[in-house]
């Protein structure tokens, strides 16, 4: 079973959370939308699977490298 950990690529804030733990996702789905320097940045999953854990909440400030979500795929 493959596990994908999704991390923040830059300092940003969580503008909108679009999934919850247990949500089924396909490759390319947007999990959350981050905001940095007045730009909206969608965070996508690279594989199909199920969101095992969501590590962020709306309004939270993230640092580069912070864990956003874990997706488990078959």
């Amino acid at each position: 079973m493959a596990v994908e950990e999704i991390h923040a690529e830059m300092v940003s804030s969580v503008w909108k959370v679009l999934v919850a733990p247990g949500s089924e996702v396909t490759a390319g789905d947007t999990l959350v939308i981050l905001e940095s320097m007045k730009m909206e940045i969608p965070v996508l999953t690279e594989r199909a699977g199920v969101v095992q854990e969501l590590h962020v909440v709306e309004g939270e400030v993230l640092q580069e490298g912070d864990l956003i979500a874990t997706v488990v795929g078959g």
Side-chain angles (χ1 to χ4, degrees), residues 24-74:
E24 289 190 25
V25 294
T26 58
D29 280 359
T30 302
L31 305 179
V32 300
I33 300 174
L34 303 179
E35 187 274 326
S36 181
M37 297 183 294
K38 300 189 182 193
M39 292 176 42
E40 293 178 12
I41 304 153
V43 176
L44 313 176
T45 181
E46 294 180 2
R47 70 177 69 241
V50 175
V51 177
Q52 182 179 36
E53 293 181 87
L54 191 61
H55 301 274
V56 298
V57 294
E58 289 182 8
E60 182 176 355
V61 175
L62 303 178
Q63 300 301 311
E64 183 177 342
D66 283 356
L67 185 59
I68 295 172
T70 306
V71 176
V72 177

